[in-house]
């Protein structure tokens, strides 16, 4: 019985771990894109306010590139939200609204 309890506890711990969020890029849709749009807007990284609609189009692409240039430097401005960009976006969100950052943690790739 105790071995079963240990096995079940181990499985429960694994199941509750946060899975890696997928990278986001042009054409992506969903909550991750919406979180990226919110981060770009809150950072004032792009001169145009992005629609926070969860659809990655041309404006979101340029906004993410501007965000990356500002937060990560030109060499990492590839327009793809991977863990490095996701970390900076979550950092930005935490500064303005920790509740939104906590929500977006599930959807933005991070380390």
């Amino acid at each position: 019985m105790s071995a079963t309890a240990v096995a079940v506890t181990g499985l429960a711990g694994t199941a509750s771990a946060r899975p890696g969020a997928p990278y986001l890029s042009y054409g992506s849709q969903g909550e991750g894109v919406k979180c990226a749009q919110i981060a770009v807007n809150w950072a004032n990284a792009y001169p145009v306010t992005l629609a926070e609609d969860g659809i990655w189009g041309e404006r979101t692409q340029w906004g993410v590139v501007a965000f990356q240039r500002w937060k990560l430097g030109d060499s990492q401005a590839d327009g793809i939200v991977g863990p490095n960009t996701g970390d900076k976006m979550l950092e930005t969100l935490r500064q303005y609204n920790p509740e939104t950052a906590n929500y977006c943690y599930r959807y933005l790739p991070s380390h």
Side-chain angles (χ1 to χ4, degrees), residues 71-93:
K71 295 285 189 171
L72 298 167
D74 287 339
S75 66
Q76 292 191 47
D78 60 2
I80 298 168
V81 178
N84 291 337
T85 302
D87 283 344
K88 290 297 183 182
M89 287 182 165
L90 289 168
E91 182 180 294
T92 298
L93 294 172

Side-chain angles (χ1 to χ4, degrees), residues 19-73:
Y23 284 34
L24 304 168
S25 61
Y26 193 91
S28 295
Q29 294 186 19
E31 291 301 303
V33 174
K34 185 175 180 178
C35 289
Q37 292 165 332
I38 292 168
V40 169
N41 286 340
W42 285 358
N44 291 314
Y46 189 58
V48 177
T49 300
L50 302 178
E52 295 172 359
D53 59 4
I55 300 169
W56 189 307
E58 190 173 299
R59 284 188 178 189
T60 299
Q61 180 69 20
W62 288 112
V64 168
V65 168
F67 181 93
Q68 290 173 319
R69 283 189 176 132
W70 181 44
K71 295 285 189 171
L72 298 167

